[in-house]
Amino acid sequence: MDWDWVRENAWAAWLVAAMVLGGAEMLSLDLVLLMLAVGALGGMTADLVGLGLGVQVVVALVTSVGLLALVRPGVVKKLHHGPDLVQGHDALIGMEGFAVAEITEQSGQAKIRGEVWTVRPYDPHEVIASGAKVQVLEIRGATAYVHEIPQLGS
């Protein structure tokens, strides 16, 4: 093997290492090998700017360890803990609307997200006037339980 060629073209060895690690990452999907591949690209860059082999190895190691310690945990957390998907009636909880008819323990309607819903006051002793702004606190069956949102200046 011609070691002079390898020493003169260490960037190629770093590039091959990065490509092999990147390809292996496609099989593992753990993001560890990807961080090592980026470290190898750091070593390649160090060679291209004319730094010695020892410095290239240090750059590759520092880059890899830094990415593993600082970048990977946040990326893994984002990938594994996306936002909760809320569907159906549960999506209405917290939504605001307005009473289209007086809301009492026996009857009431409110327009919430463009739809008219059968509603009851969350506090059964409360009476909410027509036109009042309301917020959904709970859904039981097809009935939304709401409370009035006090308006400023009222």
Side-chain angles (χ1 to χ4, degrees):
M1 179 171 237
D2 185 9
W3 290 106
D4 287 335
W5 184 89
V6 172
R7 270 186 240 112
E8 291 173 7
N9 297 294
W11 66 269
W14 286 113
L15 182 59
V16 168
M19 291 170 53
V20 168
L21 289 166
E25 176 62 38
M26 299 298 282
L27 300 174
S28 75
L29 298 176
D30 197 33
L31 298 180
V32 172
L33 298 175
L34 180 63
M35 302 302 149
L36 297 177
V38 174
L41 291 175
M44 179 187 80
T45 303
D47 179 60
L48 289 174
V49 296
L51 301 175
L53 182 60
V55 176
Q56 294 171 33
V57 170
V58 169
V59 168
L61 286 173
V62 168
T63 303
S64 296
V65 170
L67 289 171
L68 285 168
L70 301 174
V71 175
R72 183 180 175 275
V75 173
V76 169
K77 185 176 181 180
K78 285 270 191 199
L79 289 174
H80 291 249
H81 300 289
D84 292 333
L85 179 61
V86 181
Q87 294 180 334
H89 293 133
D90 291 337
L92 288 177
I93 294 175
M95 289 286 152
E96 296 178 358
F98 65 93
V100 294
E102 183 178 71
I103 302 171
T104 66
E105 189 176 6
Q106 290 77 33
S107 67
Q109 291 185 325
K111 194 166 200 170
I112 304 164
R113 288 178 50 179
E115 297 178 353
V116 176
W117 277 77
T118 299
V119 296
R120 299 290 182 267
Y122 188 77
D123 175 0
H125 304 294
E126 183 179 18
V127 174
I128 302 172
S130 179
K133 191 171 184 181
V134 296
Q135 182 179 34
V136 178
L137 296 179
E138 185 178 1
I139 303 287
R140 291 184 220 150
T143 303
Y145 286 80
V146 298
H147 75 97
E148 184 174 358
I149 299 173
Q151 299 300 306
L152 296 175
S154 297

